[in-house]
Amino acid sequence: MESKVKGYKVFNPDWTCRGKQYSCPGNFEEDVTLSVCNSGMHFCKKASDCFNYYQFDPNNHVAEVVARGNVVEDGDKCATDKLEIIREIPWAELLEIVNTGKWCTGYGNSGNRNSGDCNSGYWNSGYWNSGDYNSGDHNSGNRNSGYWNSGDYNSGDHNSGNRNSGYWNSGDYNSGDHNSGNRNSGYWNSGDYNSGDHNSGNRNSGYWNSGDYNSGDHNS
């Protein structure tokens, strides 16, 4: 059915898309049987959805468009046989359209001053962060530079505690890996204050200790 649907479309730097030359402003028609991803002139109703198909690149052109003919939809993409290109959207304006926060250089951000994408915190340069000042991805804490951290001040990955610089730590202040205790600098420690590896007790400086206050190795 013929309709009037507003949307957004991304073009290459030379105003081409899928081998077709466009101009802005302009009106274009195609005598085709519409099929999303196969035939017709494609666009998205939401500007942010366009970047599921194009890189978020300021060298590309992004335009406000209106479909004035037949329209078919599939997911977040539409195709039409009559497309009017209304105007090019300046990059600064586009950033405000695709983000609900302020001063973001990425897209899909609901926080402020994010240079990554899909962040709901502030000053994040990674992706999918809900905390603040993160440079990694998928962090829900603050000031993390690793990935998938739910604590704060972590520089490793997959940490759920605080101030860890290793990996897969669930305690606090660990600089090793796979520690579930606190203040461990070794690996695979489940106790506290261990500087060795594979210790399950507390304050051990050796290896494979299961008791407390051991400075040697293999103490139970």
Side-chain angles (χ1 to χ4, degrees):
M1 58 178 289
E2 291 194 358
S3 58
K4 181 180 177 181
V5 181
K6 295 182 179 180
Y8 303 87
K9 184 171 177 62
V10 180
F11 302 88
N12 295 314
D14 60 357
W15 283 98
T16 61
C17 178
R18 295 168 63 92
K20 182 180 179 70
Q21 183 68 59
Y22 293 85
S23 61
C24 180
N27 288 278
F28 304 87
E29 294 188 24
E30 292 184 357
D31 185 13
V32 296
T33 299
L34 294 175
S35 175
V36 174
C37 294
N38 294 303
S39 62
M41 295 170 284
H42 294 82
F43 67 97
C44 295
K45 291 181 179 179
K46 292 176 57 178
S48 58
D49 289 339
C50 293
F51 302 104
N52 295 329
Y53 309 99
Y54 268 85
Q55 288 187 339
F56 195 65
D57 185 348
N59 292 312
N60 291 329
H61 300 288
V62 183
E64 181 182 318
V65 301
V66 175
R68 298 193 179 277
N70 298 303
V71 175
V72 294
E73 298 185 40
D74 186 3
D76 59 7
K77 184 186 283 190
C78 302
T80 184
D81 53 5
K82 295 181 181 180
L83 185 73
E84 180 181 0
I85 300 176
I86 305 297
R87 69 180 182 99
E88 182 176 7
I89 301 172
W91 193 254
E93 181 182 343
L94 179 68
L95 292 175
E96 294 183 358
I97 293 173
V98 299
N99 298 301
T100 57
K102 300 291 186 181
W103 300 291
C104 298
T105 58
Y107 74 95
N109 298 304
S110 58
N112 300 330
R113 300 182 191 273
N114 297 306
S115 59
D117 302 338
C118 304
N119 297 305
S120 59
Y122 302 88
W123 281 281
N124 296 306
S125 59
Y127 304 86
W128 290 279
N129 297 305
S130 59
D132 301 338
Y133 297 93
N134 298 305
S135 60
D137 302 342
H138 297 272
N139 298 306
S140 59
N142 302 320
R143 299 179 192 272
N144 298 307
S145 60
Y147 305 85
W148 286 278
N149 298 307
S150 59
D152 300 339
Y153 297 92
N154 298 307
S155 60
D157 302 343
H158 298 273
N159 298 306
S160 59
N162 301 320
R163 299 179 193 271
N164 299 306
S165 60
Y167 304 85
W168 287 279
N169 298 306
S170 59
D172 301 338
Y173 297 92
N174 297 307
S175 60
D177 303 341
H178 298 272
N179 297 308
S180 60
N182 302 320
R183 299 179 193 272
N184 297 308
S185 60
Y187 305 86
W188 288 278
N189 297 306
S190 60
D192 301 337
Y193 297 91
N194 296 306
S195 60
D197 303 342
H198 296 271
N199 298 307
S200 60
N202 302 318
R203 300 179 191 273
N204 297 305
S205 59
Y207 306 85
W208 286 280
N209 297 304
S210 59
D212 299 340
Y213 297 92
N214 297 302
S215 60
D217 302 343
H218 298 274
N219 296 303
S220 59

